[in-house]
Amino acid sequence: MFGKIGAPEILLVLVVLVMLFGAKRLPGMARSLGQSLRILKSETKAMRDRDPDEADTAAAAASTPEIVEGTPLSAATASAPKTVSGSY
């Protein structure tokens, strides 16, 4: 069903993308996608190249939750301000 993607299907997807985002925004979106993939690739390579002993201690530290004594969870989360930023 989904194994046979040909030229008409790819053309249809491209037409829909141009209609949704506009021709001026597509190159910028493709550029940012490429930068994100480059960063992901470099980070995964850095993780593979990291020392195995260092990776074990980092994974153990990341999986251990931080415990704060004397502060109830509801009080700690209620005092944190909630902000929304960004443009839509």
Side-chain angles (χ1 to χ4, degrees), residues 2-62:
F2 294 110
K4 305 226 180 203
I5 297 177
E9 289 84 5
I10 292 174
L11 185 63
L12 179 65
V13 168
L14 289 175
V15 167
V16 169
L17 285 174
V18 169
M19 289 175 60
L20 284 175
F21 298 110
K24 291 183 180 182
R25 291 181 68 191
L26 286 179
M29 291 172 60
R31 192 175 305 115
S32 66
L33 178 65
Q35 288 174 348
S36 299
L37 290 176
R38 241 179 276 127
I39 291 170
L40 179 66
K41 183 179 176 181
S42 67
E43 290 296 323
T44 54
K45 184 177 184 248
M47 287 177 64
R48 285 188 196 133
D49 294 343
R50 195 175 357 166
D51 188 30
D53 295 332
E54 184 182 316
D56 291 338
T57 56

Side-chain angles (χ1 to χ4, degrees), residues 58-78:
S63 65
T64 306
E66 183 179 337
I67 299 173
V68 179
E69 298 276 337
T71 305
L73 181 61
S74 60
T77 57

